[in-house]
Each structure stands twice: as structure tokens, then as C-alpha cells.
Amino acid sequence: MMQTVLTVTAVILSLAAVGAILRIARGPSLLDRVLASDVLLAILGAALCIDMAVNRHLNNLMLLVALSIVGFIGSVTVARFVAGRQEQPNES
């Protein structure tokens, strides 16, 4: 039963990762690309959690925490950058 669940989750996460990579490649704006990269980091974190649950270990826990912090800080930084650019008046 566990092998079936692992296969189904691997397929779902793989399809989601392909969708996020396509959005990063195609995304018409910077915010689309940043959001897709944040989703890709979340998918990677979910894969690490599934690996830890299946193999019953906590070896990847620090990597998961670091990945989450990097994703959060990156998203907040880009959001602040874009918000700062939109508030400045156009001097043309």
C-alpha cells in the first residue's frame, strides 16, 4: 500500500514541478516567475517531507528548514522590490 501512495505522490509532484518550470520559462512578468519558483521550492520541500515519512528518518529536516527560509526571504524581497518600483512616479 505504501508503494502505491509513494508512486501517486511522486507523479503528482512531478506534474506540478513541470508546470512550475513551464511558468518560470514562459511567465510574462517577474512576479509570475517568482511565484513559480516559490511553488517549485514548496514542491521540493514536499518531496523531502515524503522521503522522510517513507524512510522514517529526519536527516533532511535542516535542509527543509533552510529551503523554506530561502523561499520566504526571496519572495518577500522581490515583492518589496516590485512594490517600490510601482510607488515611484514616472518622470518622463
Side-chain angles (χ1 to χ4, degrees):
M1 182 67 178
M2 184 62 93
Q3 189 64 31
T4 306
V5 172
L6 183 61
T7 304
V8 169
T9 56
V11 168
I12 290 172
L13 288 177
S14 298
L15 290 175
V18 167
I21 290 171
L22 286 175
R23 179 49 59 191
I24 290 172
R26 284 191 200 161
S29 70
L30 176 68
L31 289 178
D32 285 336
R33 289 185 170 100
V34 169
L35 183 64
S37 65
D38 196 32
V39 167
L40 194 59
L41 283 174
I43 291 168
L44 186 60
L48 286 173
C49 287
I50 291 170
D51 174 59
M52 289 189 297
V54 168
N55 296 324
R56 298 178 190 261
H57 65 79
L58 296 175
N59 296 342
N60 298 332
L61 190 59
M62 292 304 291
L63 178 62
L64 182 64
V65 170
L67 195 68
S68 300
I69 290 172
V70 166
F72 174 75
I73 291 174
S75 296
V76 168
T77 302
V78 171
R80 285 173 133 320
F81 173 72
V82 170
R85 279 186 20 192
Q86 290 176 352
E87 290 176 2
Q88 295 176 354
N90 192 1
E91 296 179 12
S92 294

